[in-house]
Amino acid sequence: MAMNPAPSGSLEAFIQALPKTETHLHIEGALPYHELLRTLDPAAYPEDPEFRRQSHRYPTFPDFEHTLLRHALPWFTSAERYHEAARVIFAGHVRQNVRYVETSFHLHVTEFIHVPGPVIIDAILSAAPPGLEVRVFAGMLRNAYDGPLRDAIDGMHAWDGLSGVDLHGFEEMPTEPWSFGVWERMRKAGKVTKCHAGEFDGPVRVREAIQQLGVRRVQHGVRSVEDPAVVKLAADMGVTFDLCPLSNVRLRVVPDLASHPIRSLMQAGVNCTVSTDDPLCFANSLNGEYSALAAEAGFTRSELARVARNGWAVADVAETKRRAMLAEIDRLSGT
């Protein structure tokens, strides 16, 4: 992947030049709408659907989830379809100068399409272009163990190519006891464990994720600001919040980016990254996330550079690569 030259004076050029990471991306929710989904049936998938407009706000999480599944599942019917989607998604990352991606696939889809998880992992990884490092996670619902996925979950720690696991879905679902043992087994096998928390439920779920599940990677975590003790816990334990600001606005977690707690969380010592979550449903991009933080939350170039640095702080890469990326960010930001 070619190195970007020093940016011109424009903010857009600066954002483009930053070597970035994306660490919270659901691959089904990242399905390219125009490039792929519309090719199935242009009449069924119009050019400018209302749900992808910037003004759209999802009434509830179930409404969002219904929209996501209704549009994603018709595409993801085979390993080949996962590969093709990943190929187009990763090409978009390259165009934005993203150098590292952590993406999850929805484990439950393996049951629907009768394709084993390791086959889907291989399909995604084989789509990574030169210069883009990709790590694949298996995402699952909090009740996933109570059903046909149990055998797969019990064996996931031995899956080659799987970097880790994530609990996601409707946060009002309780975190069931099975997950504590599974998450510990995954860590012992060298896998990274994540959990969605502090998005639609309060800081108690962030505390649960850190203290009971033992994760150091919380997906979202924004509502931890409602309890300063939980914010301090996250900072003291070295927890990273993989934030998705535009997703939070579109899903009504926060009213607007000016109200988003990302700055206060960073000032409190929490390592915060920025990602897109589900671009299929939000029509967002990673460069767009950075630009929106600048335009609507007043982020300076120094703050944007820190966001980029935060991603490399937790990226699963060789230390030589990490140091090189951090040095490139410092050069671009003049620090």
Side-chain angles (χ1 to χ4, degrees), residues 212-280:
Q212 296 186 48
L213 266 180
V215 306
R216 296 298 176 262
R217 299 287 299 280
V218 171
Q219 310 296 274
H220 296 298
V222 290
R223 290 190 57 190
S224 62
V225 295
E226 297 168 17
D227 186 346
V230 173
V231 175
K232 185 177 187 302
L233 173 68
D236 290 348
M237 298 296 291
V239 174
T240 290
F241 287 175
D242 291 309
L243 301 176
C244 303
L246 292 178
S247 166
N248 295 155
V249 173
R250 297 286 300 278
L251 289 172
R252 304 175 188 261
V253 177
V254 297
D256 50 50
L257 283 189
S259 307
H260 199 283
I262 179 172
R263 179 181 279 116
S264 63
L265 288 168
M266 291 169 61
Q267 290 174 342
V270 179
N271 192 68
C272 294
T273 69
V274 166
S275 296
T276 58
D277 203 2
D278 296 284
L280 168 64

